[in-house]
Amino acid sequence: MPECPHLERTTAYYDGGLAPEAEADAVAHLADCTECQTVLGDAVGIDAVLAQPRSAVITARRRRWPIAAGVLALAAAVAVFVATRNPKPAHPTQVAYQLELPRERALEARFTGDRFAPHRALGVLRGDKAREAISIASIAELENRGDTRDLVAALAASGDLARAEELAHKLPASASTEADRAAVALAAGDPERALAHAYHALDLDPELAAARWNLGLAARALGLVRVAHAAFEKLATRGEPGWSDEARRQAAVLAGELATARELAEFDRRGAAMAIGGAPLAATDVARAPAVVRSKLYDAVRLATTRARLDELRPLARALDDAAGTRGATAMIDRANPVAHAKFAAAYHTLVAWTATSEQTTALLAGLRAAGRPAHDLLAGALNLSGQATARWQELRTITAPWKDPWFTLQVERERIRATWPDEDLRREPALTAALAACLPAWSLRCGTFALDLATLHGATGREDLADQHAKRALEQFRGAGSLAYVDTARAFLAELHRRRGRNALARAELDEVIASTAGDGDCRIRRYAQIGHATLAVVDGDWALARAMLPPATPPASCQAVPDPQGLAVAVDLARASGHETDRAIARDWIDASKDLARGGLAIVATARIAPADAAAQTTMEGWLANTRGELDSMVAAARTWGLTTQIADAGARADWTRVLALATAPAAGCVVVASVDDDWVTVAVRGMTGVAGSHRAIARAQLATTPIVTPELVTALAGCPEVIVVARPPLHGRADLLPAELPWVFAGDTPAVPQPAGTPRAIEVVDARPPDSNLPPLPPGVTGAKFELSISAQAATPRRVLAALAEATYAELHVHGIATSNTGDTAYLALSPDPDGAFALRADTVRATRLARAPLVVLAACRAAAVAPYLRTRWSLPDAFIAAGASAVIAVDVPIPDASA
C-alpha cells in the first residue's frame, strides 16, 4: 500500500471534494510525486480495461477510488487514458515550462496563449471526444506559474471544460480573453455563445486572428456559410504559418457550398431576362429552382405579344407541369391572348421592373379590369405586383378559380387568411396550420410563405420557440424553391426574432449573411433593411463606429425602390446625438430630409430638435407640434410624440430641471412621485419626496440597463416617510418590479387615471378552469368557489366575451388562468380562456382597453406574466394598463411565472 500521505487528498480532488483553495496544492503535489503518479498509471490501465464494450455497464457509473485499490485516475489524466488506447505513438513537442503538446491538436478552435498559438495540424479521433494527451504535471506547472491563458487552453484541450470555463470567466477583459472564451464555448458545443464572444473580440481588435478564426467556426456551425467563408478567406491572406493554409482549405470547402447560391443568382438574372423577352430558361433549370422558373415564366407569358413567343415558352411550361404533376403552366399559355397583352405590355413591364408610379398602377389596373377575361392573367399578376392581392383577395379568387392552378389557389388562400384576421389574431393559427399541412413539396415557395406567416404569428403572441421553428422551416422551403430573395427575407425575419429575444450576436450574424447574399445584384430593399437592422444593433451596443459604417445612405439609388425607413432615421439621429460629430449630424440631416412626409412631418420635426438641443427655434417647433397632435391615434404620430417627449425629458434632466421633468411626465401634482425615463444610454429620474424635489441624469449602457439600479440610493432616501409613492415609469422601465425597494409603499401609475369605485352592492366574480385550445397549455385544477364570489365562470363558459361582460358589472374579480407574455405586439400579454364561437380564446390588451368597466373593479390577474409590458418606446401598453384604461380602480398582477399552488 502506498505510503504517500497525500493520496487521500488526491482522491478527494478527483471526486470534486476539495475546496477551491486546496485544489492547487493537490495538483502541485502530483506534479512531483512519483509514487502517486505510479498509482495513477495503474489506474489508467484499469480504466482502459473497463472502457471496453463488454464493460460498458460498469464504466457508465462513476465510483469513488478506494485508497488500497487505486482504481481511478485524476479527471485531468483522462487525456492520458485516450493516448493509451490509441496505438499511434505520440509525437510531443517540447515547450518552455515542460509543457508537452501532441503534434496534432484535438480542437478546431484557436487559443491566444503563447504555447497554444502556433499552428498544429488538426487530428480528429473518430468516434471519440476531442481531447489531447496533456499530462497532469504540465497542467499543474501552468497553474503554479500563473499562465492562465495557456492553462485555459490546456484544460479545454484535455477535456476539463468546466474548469476551463471557470478560469476563462476570470480572465481580464480584452480581445484575447473574448477570443479564448469563444474557443472554450466551441469546445463545449455552444456556437452561439462562441459567436457572441468572437464578435466582441473583433470589435475590440479587428486584426485578432484567433477571434476571426473562432467566428468562422461558430458561423459555420450555425449554417451561416457566407459569414464563415468571409472569415476564413480573410485569414487565408495573412500568411500565418499553418493557420493560413488551413483557413484556405476551410474557405474552399465553404466556397463549394456557396456555388449553388451563385448559380441561383445567375439563374435568377437569366429568369428576369426571360420575363422581358429574353431566351427561355432550360428545362433542366426546373429541378434547380422550380418556384423561380414558374414565377418568371408566368411573367414572360403575360408579356408575350405574339403566338410565336408563346410557342417558344411552351417547352419550359411542359417541363414545369411534368415536375409538378399539373397542367397549370401549359394551360396559361393556351389561354393567353397576345392581342390583349400587346395593349398592356409596356405598362405591365413597369410593374415587373418596379418602376411604376402609383398613378400608373391605378390606371393599369383599371384598364385590365375593363378589358375583361382576355386580360385576366395580367390582372392577377398586377394585383400581386402592386401589393393589392390581400385587399383584393376575393377579386383574385374570382379571376383564378377557373384555372385550378395550385400556384394561384395557394396564394389566394394565404391572402384570404391575411385579410380575414389581423396580424396577431390567434384565429389565424388553425387556418395557417391546415394550409401548411396540406401543402405539397412541389409548391415549396407557397408553403414557405405559410410557414413564415405562422412564425410571425407565434412571434407576435409570445411563443418565440415556435416562431423560430417555423421561420427555419420557411427558410428551408425557400431554399428548396430556389428563391434567394425569399431566403434572405426569412433570414432577416430570424434576425429580428433573435434581436427581440436578446440574442444580438446571432441577429448580427444573420444580418451579415443577408448583406453578403444581397451584395451586387441582390434585392437592394432587403439589403437596406439588413443594414439598418445591423446599425440598430450597433447603436444598442454603443458601437458608434460600427453603426456609422453599416447605416446606408438616406436616399437609395434610383434603381432601388425603397421607401423612407423610420428606423433608419432613428439610428442616424441617435448616432448624431450621441457622438456629436458634425459628419454624423450631416448624415442625420439627410435622413431628416428624406423623412419629412412621415408621421405628418412629426418625425423630422422631433429629429431636428434631438440633434440640436441648443437650437431654440427647433425646440419651439417641436413643442408646438407636440401640443397640436395631443390625442392623435395614428401609430406613427404617436411614436413621434413619444420620441419628442423622451427628448424633452432627457434634455431637462441634463439641465437638472427636475420640476420640468415631473411636469413633462404628467406626474400627479401632489404627493410623493418618481418619474423614470430612458433616452438611448441616458437615464433620467426625478423624485418628489416629503421635503422637496431631486433627481439624477446619468449614463447607463443599454446592455446593463436591466441589471443596474435605476433609482439611486440617495433618491430612495429622499422618499423616506412617504405614505404612498406613485411611480411614472416610461417604457422600457414600466413594469420593472425592482425600481424601488419592496419596503416602500409604491405603485405604478396607469397610463390613464384610475377611477374610484362607485357606491352600490359589491359584486365579486372569479374565472377558473378555462380551457384554451392550445395543447402547450396544461389544464389548471378547477378552483373552489368561495362565498365571497357572486359569480363563478368556469370551463367552456370562460370565454373572452363572457368574461368581459361579467367584468363590466363587477367590483372585484379574480382570474385564475394561463397568462402568455408576448414580445413584440401591443397586446404584450394575453389571458388564455376558452374559445368563443368564432374561435377567439385570447383576452388581449386591445380588447380590454376598448371595454367599459362601469363599476371600477379591483382586478387580480392570477396568471403568469400578466404584468408583462410591451417593448415599445412609444407607449405604455400592458394588460394592467388596459384594465386601468377600461375603468378598473386598481390591478394586481405579476411579471414572472407563478406555480398554480401559489396563484
Side-chain angles (χ1 to χ4, degrees):
M1 181 174 180
E3 296 180 356
C4 177
H6 296 292
L7 187 55
E8 186 171 355
R9 183 178 64 178
T10 300
T11 305
Y13 171 75
Y14 174 72
D15 284 333
L18 287 183
E21 59 271 15
E23 288 186 357
D25 291 340
V27 173
H29 167 76
L30 284 168
D32 299 318
C33 179
T34 56
E35 194 169 19
C36 287
Q37 291 172 9
T38 299
V39 172
L40 289 175
D42 293 340
V44 167
I46 294 173
D47 253 356
V49 173
L50 293 177
Q52 297 303 312
R54 64 178 180 274
S55 304
V57 176
I58 299 175
T59 58
R61 185 176 65 238
R62 179 176 172 183
R63 300 181 179 180
R64 281 195 171 273
W65 178 12
I67 295 176
V71 294
L72 292 176
L74 285 172
V78 172
V80 181
F81 158 56
V82 172
T84 303
R85 289 186 294 160
N86 187 353
K88 182 178 178 179
H91 300 282
T93 301
Q94 198 71 19
V95 189
Y97 305 154
Q98 305 300 313
L99 178 61
E100 296 182 354
L101 295 179
R103 179 170 296 176
E104 295 181 337
R105 74 185 197 279
L107 301 178
E108 278 193 283
R110 286 183 67 168
F111 292 89
T112 64
D114 291 341
R115 294 157 192 83
F116 283 82
H119 181 265
R120 291 178 293 145
L122 180 65
V124 179
L125 290 173
R126 300 189 179 187
D128 207 340
K129 292 183 179 180
R131 289 174 176 169
E132 293 182 24
I134 302 175
S135 70
I136 188 63
S138 297
I139 291 176
E141 185 136 14
L142 289 173
E143 190 164 11
N144 285 338
R145 293 177 178 273
D147 294 338
T148 311
R149 293 195 184 282
D150 281 324
L151 179 59
V152 167
L155 291 169
S158 62
D160 194 346
L161 293 175
R163 290 191 67 208
E165 292 264 15
E166 180 184 358
L167 287 175
H169 181 72
K170 296 176 181 178
L171 287 170
S174 69
S176 295
T177 291
E178 290 299 320
D180 285 336
R181 289 171 180 168
V184 175
L186 286 168
D190 191 346
E192 184 178 342
R193 184 159 54 90
L195 191 77
H197 288 305
Y199 267 135
H200 191 188
L202 289 171
D203 289 341
L204 295 171
D205 182 359
E207 298 304 317
L208 185 59
R212 195 167 299 280
W213 182 277
N214 293 335
L215 174 70
L217 293 178
R220 187 193 67 187
L222 292 165
L224 300 163
V225 180
R226 291 175 180 82
V227 175
H229 179 263
F232 287 117
E233 198 171 46
K234 185 166 185 175
L235 290 168
T237 64
R238 290 175 62 104
E240 294 182 283
W243 289 115
S244 288
D245 290 337
E246 189 172 332
R248 195 171 296 109
R249 291 192 294 272
Q250 292 271 15
V253 172
L254 293 166
E257 296 183 39
L258 290 175
T260 300
R262 286 193 294 271
E263 289 173 5
L264 287 175
E266 173 58 29
F267 161 74
D268 195 57
R269 285 189 287 272
R270 290 193 290 118
M274 176 187 72
I276 59 175
L281 295 169
T284 54
D285 290 323
V286 172
R288 183 181 307 163
V292 178
V293 170
R294 187 176 297 273
S295 175
K296 302 300 184 184
L297 173 67
Y298 282 12
D299 274 335
V301 171
R302 294 179 185 117
L303 288 168
T305 58
T306 66
R307 184 58 59 184
R309 174 60 174 170
L310 292 172
D311 290 341
E312 188 181 19
L313 297 171
R314 192 176 293 276
L316 185 59
R318 288 198 195 99
L320 272 173
D321 286 344
D322 289 344
T326 66
R327 287 197 70 256
T330 304
M332 186 171 188
I333 290 179
D334 291 342
R335 65 175 174 266
N337 187 317
V339 176
H341 291 186
K343 180 179 179 180
F344 297 104
Y348 189 85
H349 180 268
T350 63
L351 277 182
V352 174
W354 299 100
T355 59
T357 65
S358 58
E359 292 81 8
Q360 289 172 326
T361 300
T362 300
L364 173 61
L365 289 170
L368 292 171
R369 289 189 180 103
R373 188 180 300 274
H376 272 180
D377 51 351
L378 277 79
L379 180 55
L383 287 171
N384 185 49
L385 290 171
S386 65
Q388 298 186 35
T390 300
R392 300 277 187 174
W393 72 270
Q394 290 174 313
E395 180 182 13
L396 184 63
R397 181 178 61 181
T398 300
I399 293 169
T400 61
W403 303 345
K404 301 187 185 308
D405 185 342
W407 180 258
F408 295 106
T409 304
L410 290 169
Q411 182 193 6
V412 168
E413 176 62 6
R414 184 189 183 216
E415 307 303 351
R416 181 191 74 83
I417 294 170
R418 288 156 63 94
T420 304
W421 297 291
D423 288 347
E424 290 87 30
D425 195 318
L426 289 167
R427 287 172 293 179
R428 270 190 177 195
E429 186 169 6
L432 287 170
T433 301
L436 185 57
C439 213
L440 298 175
W443 310 102
S444 55
L445 183 67
R446 298 300 197 205
C447 303
T449 61
F450 287 125
L452 194 57
D453 285 352
L454 262 177
T456 303
L457 177 64
H458 288 144
T461 53
R463 292 170 290 176
E464 279 100 351
D465 288 343
L466 286 174
D468 188 84
Q469 172 187 326
H470 280 104
K472 289 176 179 174
R473 181 175 180 180
L475 183 67
E476 290 308 311
Q477 287 173 322
F478 293 150
R479 278 202 188 106
S483 175
L484 292 180
Y486 276 91
V487 167
D488 291 333
T489 299
R491 281 206 180 280
F493 176 85
L494 274 169
E496 176 62 15
L497 184 64
H498 296 326
R499 185 188 68 79
R500 289 187 344 224
R501 301 177 76 183
R503 301 166 71 179
N504 287 2
L506 191 53
R508 176 176 173 178
E510 292 281 9
L511 292 171
D512 279 340
E513 190 80 5
V514 172
I515 291 168
S517 174
T518 54
D521 295 334
D523 192 318
C524 63
R525 292 163 299 172
I526 299 176
R527 181 165 62 252
R528 280 179 65 83
Y529 175 88
Q531 289 170 327
I532 291 170
H534 207 306
T536 302
L537 288 170
V539 168
V540 169
D541 292 338
D543 190 337
W544 312 132
L546 182 59
R548 190 176 297 122
M550 295 308 306
L551 187 66
T555 304
S559 60
C560 184
Q561 300 297 309
V563 298
D565 191 302
Q567 186 62 42
L569 170 66
V571 172
V573 170
D574 288 350
L575 177 59
R577 183 173 167 91
S579 72
H581 293 167
E582 184 52 41
T583 300
D584 293 334
R585 291 179 186 275
I587 293 172
R589 285 192 288 269
D590 288 343
W591 275 92
I592 291 170
D593 289 340
S595 307
K596 286 185 175 178
D597 294 333
L598 297 176
R600 294 201 286 279
L603 286 175
I605 290 171
V606 173
T608 301
R610 277 182 70 78
I611 62 174
D615 186 333
Q619 301 302 318
T620 300
T621 300
M622 178 173 68
E623 288 185 12
W625 184 84
L626 291 173
N628 292 333
T629 55
R630 189 174 289 114
E632 277 279 359
L633 299 179
D634 180 84
S635 62
M636 191 170 288
V637 172
R641 284 184 51 78
T642 299
W643 204 25
L645 182 57
T646 299
T647 303
Q648 289 183 312
I649 290 176
D651 290 346
R655 300 191 304 269
D657 188 348
W658 312 123
T659 301
R660 173 69 170 159
V661 171
L662 293 171
L664 287 167
T666 62
C672 296
V673 177
V674 173
V675 169
S677 181
V678 176
D679 182 22
D680 294 334
D681 285 344
W682 290 94
V683 177
T684 301
V685 178
V687 305
R688 183 172 62 234
M690 299 296 290
T691 59
V693 175
S696 68
H697 180 74
R698 59 199 174 111
I700 301 177
R702 295 192 195 189
Q704 279 76 52
L705 187 64
T707 57
T708 302
I710 302 301
V711 184
T712 63
E714 294 78 12
L715 294 181
V716 172
T717 301
L719 297 169
C722 289
E724 182 183 48
V725 180
I726 304 298
V727 177
V728 181
R730 307 183 69 248
L733 300 177
H734 175 58
R736 275 190 55 167
D738 63 344
L739 284 183
L740 290 174
E743 55 267 22
L744 283 177
W746 66 281
V747 295
F748 285 111
D751 61 354
T752 53
V755 178
Q757 285 197 343
T761 304
R763 180 175 175 78
I765 71 168
E766 69 170 353
V767 180
V768 295
D769 192 26
R771 299 174 184 179
D774 188 335
S775 59
N776 294 311
L777 301 175
L780 293 175
V784 179
T785 302
K788 67 176 182 178
F789 294 108
E790 279 71 40
L791 175 65
S792 179
I793 308 174
S794 63
Q796 298 299 340
T799 69
R801 291 178 189 171
R802 178 79 188 278
V803 168
L804 282 177
L807 283 167
E809 298 300 321
T811 59
Y812 176 85
E814 284 186 15
L815 288 81
H816 293 267
V817 296
H818 279 295
I820 307 297
T822 71
S823 62
N824 194 42
T825 170
D827 307 310
T828 191
Y830 62 87
L831 304 178
L833 303 177
S834 301
D836 277 314
D838 63 0
F841 69 91
L843 182 56
R844 299 149 33 121
D846 55 351
T847 305
V848 171
R849 186 174 285 268
T851 303
R852 174 64 180 153
L853 305 181
R855 303 194 65 190
L858 168 62
V859 179
V860 179
L861 301 177
C864 297
R865 304 298 308 278
V869 296
Y872 283 160
L873 295 180
R874 72 163 190 260
T875 186
R876 292 250 306 272
W877 198 298
S878 66
L879 270 172
D881 276 317
F883 276 103
I884 293 292
S889 59
V891 179
I892 299 173
V894 298
D895 66 349
V896 296
I898 51 175
D900 178 67
S902 305

